[in-house]
């Protein structure tokens, strides 16, 4: 038994003979109540968690030492973590086989404790499962599954990391269903209209600089509105390097649409001219930039209303703080009276 700065270590079992070859069969039981002190020892600063329990068996057959099996458990108000596995060769740290299972309702708080900042808020429920294998020279995350849930929001990411220690060779897939666009209001930090159900998909990949989201496809479908965004995000963690194309086909405006759009535009001090809403709108635009500056480029639109056709092309330098608006209009009408 040993007490290492409040961390309680228990060893029990057999060790020997020591010569000519060393054999052992030892049970390890470690309780770590001082997680903040432990993190400080390795150069990290976090708040205190509940106790971490580590159990395992060290087995020596005279040729090598193995840790088989071992288990790490953390049960905290902020996070639940289970790690199980084995290490075939402790000396070379090779033959690592580990599975993890984590569930946290306060991952945002946990990341703050680790001084990791994200430019967006996180869903309240996140479940993580992973399988790790290899050795220190080539450690891989063969399967990672992350499920994020909120009211009306269900997202899933699956990925693999070929080089876990340097976080390189990442590939994966993101899919999700969002019952209503308004379910994303708190993440966009503004009130969004409901409009319809959203479905999204995309491919994850990495290069030497960033984690990318490629082949992004976001669709919104309702009885009277179809909307689709396709493109990519060059740096997913900072949400920058956005390069996408958006298309909208609005065939009519319902009373609910009008009420929600009126409320949405109020956030930008824009009044919706309800009496001037057309029968239909067809619009496409390129989207480029980041969460700090998002530009609309090559805007193309057609508005139809009782024999009147209005064409639009233009650009917006920053749609987040509407600036640099440029637009050209064309008009075609069957009769001047309809204007």
């Amino acid at each position: 038994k040993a007490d290492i700065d409040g961390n309680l270590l228990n060893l029990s079992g057999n060790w020997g003979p020591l010569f000519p070859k060393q054999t052992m069969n030892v049970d390890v039981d470690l309780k770590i109540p001082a997680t903040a002190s432990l993190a400080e020892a390795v150069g990290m600063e976090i708040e205190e968690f509940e106790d971490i329990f580590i159990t395992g068996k060290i087995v020596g057959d005279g040729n090598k030492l193995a840790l088989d099996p071992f288990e790490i458990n953390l049960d905290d108000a902020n996070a639940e973590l289970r790690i199980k596995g084995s290490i075939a060769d402790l000396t070379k740290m090779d033959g690592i086989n580990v599975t993890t299972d984590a569930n946290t309702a306060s991952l945002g708080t946990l990341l703050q404790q680790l001084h990791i900042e994200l430019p967006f808020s996180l869903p309240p429920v996140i479940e993580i499962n992973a399988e790790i294998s290899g050795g220190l020279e080539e450690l891989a995350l063969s399967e990672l599954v992350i499920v994020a849930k909120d009211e009306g929001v269900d997202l899933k990411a699956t990925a693999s990391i070929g080089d876990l220690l340097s976080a390189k060779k990442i590939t994966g897939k993101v899919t999700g269903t969002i019952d209503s666009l308004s379910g994303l209001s708190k993440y966009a930090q503004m009130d969004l209209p409901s409009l319809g159900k959203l479905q999204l998909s995309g491919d994850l990949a990495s290069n030497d600089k960033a984690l990318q989201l490629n082949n992004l496809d976001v669709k919104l479908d309702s009885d009277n509105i179809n909307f689709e965004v396709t493109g990519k995000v060059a740096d997913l963690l900072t949400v920058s390097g956005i390069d996408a194309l958006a298309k909208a086909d609005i065939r009519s405006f319902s009373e609910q649409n009008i009420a929600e759009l009126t409320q949405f535009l109020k956030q930008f001090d824009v009044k919706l001219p309800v009496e001037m809403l057309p029968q239909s709108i067809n619009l496409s635009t390129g989207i480029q930039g980041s969460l700090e500056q998002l530009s609309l480029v090559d805007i193309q639109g057609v508005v139809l209303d009782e024999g009147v056709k209005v064409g639009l092309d233009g650009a917006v330098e920053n749609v987040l703080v509407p600036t640099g608006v440029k637009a050209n209009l064309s008009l075609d009408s069957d009769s001047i009276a309809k204007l």
Side-chain angles (χ1 to χ4, degrees), residues 148-155 176-185 187 192-200 218-223 256 260:
K149 296 181 180 181
D150 201 348
E151 184 176 354
V153 177
D154 195 345
L155 303 175
T177 300
I178 300 159
D179 291 344
S180 170
L181 181 64
S182 59
L184 298 178
S185 294
Y187 304 106
L192 297 174
S194 60
L195 297 183
K197 185 176 183 178
L198 277 172
Q199 292 183 316
L200 64 90
V218 180
K219 293 181 180 179
L220 182 150
D221 289 313
S222 67
D223 294 337
Q256 181 179 349
E260 292 178 344

Side-chain angles (χ1 to χ4, degrees), residues 61-323:
D61 62 3
N63 296 311
K64 61 182 179 181
L65 290 178
L67 181 59
D68 186 8
F70 75 87
E71 183 171 343
I72 302 173
N73 289 294
L74 167 65
D75 192 354
D76 188 87
N78 286 328
E80 294 180 6
L81 175 65
R82 305 285 182 270
I83 300 176
K84 297 180 180 180
S86 61
I87 303 176
D89 191 333
L90 276 175
T91 305
K92 297 180 179 180
M93 287 301 291
D94 196 18
I96 299 171
N97 194 337
V98 177
T99 61
T100 67
D101 182 3
N103 187 334
T104 174
S106 304
L107 186 57
T109 302
L110 182 61
L111 291 176
Q112 287 179 359
Q113 292 176 2
L114 296 173
H115 302 285
I116 298 174
E117 295 184 5
L118 296 177
F120 48 84
S121 59
L122 292 170
V125 176
I126 295 180
E127 300 171 359
I128 302 173
N129 295 278
E131 295 183 7
I132 301 171
S133 59
L136 289 186
E137 294 184 359
E138 190 174 339
L139 192 63
L141 196 159
S142 55
E143 183 179 30
L144 171 66
V145 180
I146 302 175
V147 176
K149 296 181 180 181
D150 201 348
E151 184 176 354
V153 177
D154 195 345
L155 303 175
K156 182 179 181 180
T158 59
S160 63
I161 304 177
D163 187 345
L164 183 59
L165 297 180
S166 59
K168 295 180 179 178
K169 302 178 182 178
I170 299 173
T171 59
K173 183 86 175 175
V174 177
T175 58
T177 300
I178 300 159
D179 291 344
S180 170
L181 181 64
S182 59
L184 298 178
S185 294
K186 69 178 181 181
Y187 304 106
Q189 297 182 345
M190 65 176 68
D191 292 329
L192 297 174
S194 60
L195 297 183
K197 185 176 183 178
L198 277 172
Q199 292 183 316
L200 64 90
S201 64
D203 297 327
L204 297 172
S206 67
N207 55 27
D208 292 337
K209 297 181 179 180
L211 178 63
Q212 301 173 325
L213 179 61
N214 299 319
N215 301 318
L216 173 65
D217 189 3
V218 180
K219 293 181 180 179
L220 182 150
D221 289 313
S222 67
D223 294 337
N224 58 322
I225 297 175
N226 295 105
F227 178 75
E228 183 173 16
V229 177
T230 57
K232 63 181 181 180
V233 182
D235 191 332
L236 187 57
L237 296 182
T238 61
V239 193
S240 60
I242 298 170
D243 187 2
L245 175 65
K247 296 181 179 180
D249 182 16
I250 304 174
R251 294 176 294 279
S252 65
F253 290 94
S254 67
E255 291 184 3
Q256 181 179 349
N257 292 154
I258 294 173
E260 292 178 344
L261 288 172
T262 299
Q263 189 65 31
F264 173 69
L265 292 175
K266 278 184 179 180
Q267 300 171 100
F268 306 100
D269 294 324
V270 175
K271 183 178 180 180
L272 181 67
V274 177
E275 67 282 354
M276 296 179 63
L277 286 177
Q279 290 178 332
S280 66
I281 299 175
N282 189 281
L283 182 69
S284 68
T285 180
I287 304 173
Q288 298 176 352
S290 66
L291 289 183
E292 294 182 354
Q293 179 167 340
L294 196 63
S295 301
L296 302 183
V297 298
D298 192 24
I299 300 173
Q300 300 291 327
V302 176
V303 178
L304 298 177
D305 188 37
E306 297 182 354
V308 177
K309 178 180 179 181
V310 178
L312 166 69
D313 66 84
V316 180
E317 184 177 333
N318 188 0
V319 70
L320 301 177
V321 184
T323 55

